[in-house]
Amino acid sequence: MRKWLIMVAVVFLLSSVAGCQAAPKAKSISIGLVADLTGPTSSLAGIAYGGRDYFVYYNEKYGGIGGSLIEYELSDATYDLSKEVAAYKELMTKLKPVSMHLWSTGAAKALRDDVNKVDKIPIIYESNVREIVDPVNLPFNFIAGPTYEDTIMIVLDWIKELGGETVVFLSGPTEFHVSANKRVLEEFKYPEKVGLEVLDWIQYPAKPTDVTAEMLRAKKLAPDFYWIWDTPEGSIPCLRAANELGIPSDKFFISHWSRHPLVIEQVGAEGCEGVKSFKLLMSVDELIEARLPVGMEIEEFSSTHELYTRNWEYIKGWAESKVMVEAIKRAISKNGNAMPEDIYQFRQMVRDEWEAIKNWDVGIGVGLIDYSDHKGWTSMTPMICRNGVWEVYGPAMEIKK
């Protein structure tokens, strides 16, 4: 009898201990972000912080996806290819993520097989170079907006519409600067197709401080227009040097990356008068004023969090993460509202759902997006700087395949 009572007591005790144990935590959903936070393109770091902040917002607002919190890690690669590749591999091992943000053109090329054949993980790239956008051969690569090549061809179309016959290209020397220009000039031969002559393509160092010699060389060619393909780090010294050399500012086109407050602040309103560029997305305040969904989300988020920037690039990162989360939600929903145990199956499902996003409003004022081409949307609004303010020049422009 005594042995029996002891056994009952032990069983009761074990049952009580087990009952007191906390329920197992829901498995988190891991996502990695690799960006340039301190290097030569760090003026655009708002993209990375916008992407990260959406995950913070979503966790706080909705408690994660289906009860599973989004676990994220943001790594600074300083626009160094070896560091970006190393950061990708470290996060793949450490987090085993279902998706990732990556930054540069160089990394997109260096990791194309790792991403698409080995790890098979859906990636949203900040590089929009066309050769990485191939739904058939590079099925896990995604971007947001028109490709770099599309942008350059739109610029050349615009120059032709303005009556231009000659143009000088100006850019830095990195893969980002060179790849798209080279394809448009050598592979597509687009200037010849639209009847333009490219007098020269002048390259200067990455993140230059003084490009007077390069701009003097460009001035001597006397082109109708100049095209600067760079972030503010390169566009600012180019426009400054042009100002000092007496080159009219209205002869310059700069990339959408350079339609940044720093350019007007550092070059001055007079030095930017008539400069042309593009609006890819609205700024935070424009979205809030228009009462668009992402504007409302960020307004709510910013009531308790400080934003890194209120520029348009913050919107780009936020929207990219919002699309990523939507694809993850759809994948989990199709799996009976449960995360697949196999990470490769999970990544494949997210990739498939991402590609299937069509006629969906992400809430940023670009209309209904369609990711069947892995771009989402393809138009940009032409802008011109007048009296230190960017104004809409005309209707949205895009390159149709």
Side-chain angles (χ1 to χ4, degrees):
M1 173 66 73
R2 188 180 178 198
K3 287 183 178 179
W4 182 82
L5 287 173
I6 292 172
M7 288 177 63
V8 170
V10 170
V11 170
F12 177 78
L13 180 61
L14 291 174
S15 299
S16 299
V17 171
C20 291
Q21 289 178 342
K25 288 176 64 178
K27 187 178 179 183
S28 61
I29 297 170
S30 298
I31 296 171
L33 305 94
V34 182
D36 175 10
L37 306 181
T38 58
T41 59
S42 58
S43 61
L44 304 174
I47 299 171
Y49 291 114
R52 178 204 62 186
D53 285 356
Y54 182 75
F55 300 139
V56 178
Y57 168 79
Y58 202 86
N59 279 341
E60 293 179 351
K61 178 81 171 177
Y62 301 105
I65 303 173
S68 296
L69 290 176
I70 301 169
E71 178 187 4
Y72 54 86
E73 185 169 329
L74 173 57
S75 178
D76 180 15
T78 71
Y79 204 71
D80 181 304
L81 177 57
S82 62
K83 289 182 180 179
E84 188 166 0
V85 171
Y88 166 84
K89 293 183 177 180
E90 180 182 350
L91 291 176
M92 287 297 298
T93 301
K94 181 179 179 181
L95 297 181
K96 294 183 172 51
V98 68
S99 188
M100 286 186 70
H101 289 252
L102 288 179
W103 194 262
S104 72
T105 299
K109 293 182 176 182
L111 292 168
R112 57 179 288 161
D113 286 345
D114 295 78
V115 167
N116 291 279
K117 296 180 180 179
V118 180
D119 300 319
K120 297 183 178 179
I121 179 171
I123 303 286
I124 183 77
Y125 287 100
E126 298 318 324
S127 169
N128 279 33
V129 67
R130 183 181 285 194
E131 65 188 279
I132 72 169
V133 186
D134 185 342
V136 175
N137 297 306
L138 303 172
F140 290 87
N141 287 6
F142 294 88
I143 63 171
T147 66
Y148 294 158
E149 289 85 350
D150 292 342
T151 300
I152 297 165
M153 291 188 287
I154 289 171
V155 166
L156 296 177
D157 285 344
W158 192 356
I159 288 173
K160 192 64 181 177
E161 287 176 12
L162 293 174
E165 295 182 355
T166 58
V167 60
V168 165
F169 278 39
L170 295 146
S171 79
T174 72
E175 190 72 25
F176 155 70
H177 296 101
V178 171
S179 182
N181 275 329
K182 189 173 183 179
R183 293 193 82 198
V184 169
L185 294 175
E186 298 178 9
E187 182 179 338
F188 303 164
K189 299 188 183 301
Y190 198 76
E192 292 94 317
K193 290 179 182 177
V194 296
L196 283 174
E197 182 182 0
V198 177
L199 300 179
D200 201 353
W201 175 8
I202 299 172
Q203 295 180 29
Y204 46 77
K207 203 171 184 178
T209 54
D210 183 5
V211 294
T212 304
E214 289 86 352
M215 290 307 303
L216 181 59
R217 179 178 153 200
K219 180 183 180 180
K220 289 178 179 177
L221 296 170
D224 295 323
F225 292 99
Y226 302 81
W227 160 235
I228 305 173
W229 178 236
D230 211 335
T231 58
E233 286 82 357
S235 298
I236 289 170
C238 281
L239 291 174
R240 276 178 176 164
N243 225 0
E244 292 169 1
L245 293 169
I247 305 174
S249 55
D250 63 359
K251 288 182 173 288
F252 285 87
F253 287 79
I254 61 176
S255 76
H256 61 283
W257 298 120
S258 290
R259 195 183 64 81
H260 190 287
L262 285 174
V263 175
I264 296 175
E265 287 173 14
Q266 296 189 24
V267 177
E270 186 176 348
C272 291
E273 184 66 22
V275 172
K276 298 160 192 67
S277 187
F278 295 95
K279 176 191 282 190
L280 181 65
L281 294 168
M282 296 183 192
S283 68
V284 169
D285 293 316
E286 287 172 328
L287 281 180
I288 291 174
E289 185 178 351
R291 311 311 289 171
L292 288 168
V294 164
M296 299 300 92
E297 292 169 357
I298 296 176
E299 185 175 47
E300 178 184 0
F301 180 76
S302 64
S303 67
T304 54
H305 298 78
E306 184 176 352
L307 303 186
Y308 177 80
T309 178
R310 303 183 77 86
N311 296 338
W312 68 267
E313 59 267 19
Y314 186 85
I315 300 298
K316 187 173 189 288
W318 186 283
E320 289 169 349
S321 287
K322 186 172 182 177
V323 172
M324 183 185 290
V325 167
E326 178 66 18
I328 294 170
K329 285 166 55 182
R330 293 185 184 191
I332 290 174
S333 176
K334 280 199 174 177
N335 197 54
N337 293 318
M339 276 195 297
E341 291 295 326
D342 185 322
I343 188 62
Y344 292 99
Q345 179 193 358
F346 196 6
R347 291 170 182 167
Q348 181 68 49
M349 291 181 70
V350 170
R351 187 222 79 89
D352 293 346
E353 292 304 317
W354 199 327
E355 187 178 80
I357 293 175
K358 297 177 184 178
N359 299 318
W360 186 68
D361 186 3
V362 69
I364 53 176
V366 297
L368 301 178
I369 65 172
D370 179 349
Y371 261 101
S372 59
D373 62 358
H374 290 214
K375 297 180 187 179
W377 71 96
T378 57
S379 64
M380 297 189 297
T381 302
M383 306 289 287
I384 187 167
C385 187
R386 292 195 175 104
N387 300 314
V389 177
W390 288 104
E391 298 179 359
V392 174
Y393 181 88
M397 304 171 75
E398 64 182 320
I399 291 291
K400 297 289 188 181
K401 284 187 178 180

